[in-house]
Amino acid sequence: MMTYDAVVIGAGHNGLAAAVELQSKGWSVAVVEGKPVAGGAVKTREVTLPGFRHDLCAMNLSMFAGSAFFNANKDALLANGLGFVPAADCFASVFRDGSYLGVSTDLEKTAAGIAALSEKDAAAWRLMLQEFGGDAPHIFGLLGAPMPSFKAAKVAWKAWREKGTGWLYDTARLLLASPRDFLDSRFEHAKVKTMMAAWGLHLDFAPDVAGGALFPYLESMANQAFGMVIGQGGADTIITSMTKLFTAKGGELILGTPVERIELSGGSASGVRLADGRVLSARKAVIANAHPKLVFGKLLPKVAEREAFDRKVEAFRAGPGTMMIHLALDGLPDWKAGEALKSFAYVHVAPDLEMMSRVYAEAMNGLLPAEPALVVGQPTALDPSRAPDGKHVLWVQVRVLPAEIRGDAKGEIGATDWDGAKEAYADRVLALLETYAPGLGAKILGRSVFSPLDLERENPNLIGGDNLSGSHHLDQNFLFRPVAGYSRYKTPVKSLYLCGASTWPGAGTGAGSGFMLANMLAK
């Protein structure tokens, strides 16, 4: 039996962040990962043709670059190979009339595009950016504090002292508002609202879902103020640098060996038993960087004392499913909206709020959406090293899909299982994309499709292809994530802790839960 201060289950970025922090503070830590490669949903592989490196799931690393974990370990991570590539042209939306609207770090460029639609909206954009400068420290401070905690209360108190009661009321309204209500209150042109509202679909917020305004606001303003970054050579640059730093500090990384169960002693988590029979003992903590349904449904025995908690975990809802389509291309898409779109990191294909509402309703009813919502990533427009000379990769994320198929909203695809439906649905996606980028099909050298089921096979935490590890609707966010009363990473099992996207502050590459948990444990 090998003994450590802490054993971390899962080598995703949150688990690795916790491991690095604890190892840095004098703990002995082992990280166990069932897959042969670390990374969870942050992996880069050649899934189409040799020499074409594709980010399997996550591509945008802006949250990591702005994270407390990166700030605390910046020099060491850079020394271990971490590299970022900035995007001056961050994101854009394309519309049915062949036009587009985008956000670039050059405020005048962004504002000019908006002003061409509405001078009033251009002024509103500038005002919102000005307000964001004062809002950001307080909002990001809240997102970087355990929930609830003295630190979170201190952030709110400081905001009240600096900004007044009115600002607290306005911020509370922002946190509770739907994207449509928030955007209608600030802008008049449909295209401006659409461009911002598309960010809601990155989580599970259709235009009229309460609580969905915050992410479109933060992403739009943060991209304008700070820009976007992707990983040099691939998103896995954060994983590679984190694992190198962790092992350099003396931590042990065990890959390709799943955890069979969490060991208990006197009702407390005391270690883990691996599939190969080894037992790793944990003197202080077992940290599961895993979906709570996997932890309490598979790795722990059912006990009567935990029955109420287990029921709540079982009721923890998934967000919509996701499909990833990776393309090796002979050239970048020729966007109908113009050559300027080739320089953008992200292009959203979700042309109006009505379509966003419709695709969400169809998916939630188990239907394959007739008109899918797409996030098209163009990483080689920024980082040519990901493909052979003159070639490109395209990252197509199909947002808001059903985990289980009940039918096809368009009445064309008969299969009701993802293995049978995925290629036909990928064809629908690419046919739609062709209408915005004519000739794309002729540029495709290779393609690889990951259905929601494939994504769960790749990473069991992505239940039903939900890359959020749980809906972010208000009843599953803040104090309620993943279960009310257990939002501070503790569980009913003593010495067993959770981190990852299922816990506060939720999905994304920010490594917030792992970093906060490690600092709480170290104290």
Side-chain angles (χ1 to χ4, degrees), residues 118-299:
S118 165
E119 290 284 357
K120 182 179 176 182
D121 282 357
W125 181 271
R126 291 179 186 274
L127 177 60
M128 183 177 284
L129 181 64
Q130 180 181 337
E131 293 172 347
F132 175 73
D135 292 353
H138 305 297
I139 294 177
F140 287 120
L142 185 65
L143 294 174
M147 185 65 64
S149 65
F150 177 75
K151 183 179 179 181
K154 189 176 179 180
V155 170
W157 180 82
K158 184 179 179 182
W160 173 73
R161 287 290 301 269
E162 291 183 9
K163 310 285 286 188
T165 302
W167 183 87
L168 290 180
Y169 281 131
D170 289 343
T171 302
R173 289 185 64 190
L174 170 65
L175 296 177
L176 298 174
S178 71
R180 189 192 300 271
D181 287 342
F182 171 70
L183 294 169
D184 280 350
S185 72
R186 303 298 295 259
F187 300 100
E188 64 178 13
H189 202 284
K191 289 182 179 179
V192 179
K193 299 175 191 178
T194 297
M195 179 185 72
M196 295 180 69
W199 282 107
L201 296 184
H202 282 250
L203 297 180
D204 58 332
F205 290 106
D208 297 298
V209 177
L214 180 63
F215 198 60
Y217 167 67
L218 289 182
E219 281 292 343
S220 298
M221 292 297 102
N223 276 276
Q224 179 64 83
F226 311 123
M228 183 186 291
V229 299
I230 65 172
Q232 178 70 50
D236 64 349
T237 182
I238 68 173
I239 302 301
T240 301
S241 60
M242 292 170 87
T243 54
K244 285 182 177 179
L245 178 57
F246 172 61
T247 54
K249 289 179 177 291
E252 182 169 0
L253 178 62
I254 302 171
L255 299 174
T257 310
V259 171
E260 188 174 83
R261 71 171 183 259
I262 295 170
E263 297 285 283
L264 300 175
S265 177
S268 298
S270 59
V272 301
R273 180 176 294 274
L274 305 185
D276 62 9
R278 283 182 290 171
V279 175
L280 309 182
S281 179
R283 284 184 289 258
K284 298 181 180 180
V286 174
I287 299 170
N289 177 200
H291 197 292
K293 286 188 177 181
L294 300 182
V295 177
F296 291 94
K298 296 183 178 180
L299 300 183

Side-chain angles (χ1 to χ4, degrees), residues 85-101:
V85 179
D89 294 325
C90 305
F91 71 94
S93 282
V94 289
F95 305 107
R96 301 185 195 282
D97 62 4
S99 66
Y100 82 93
L101 184 63

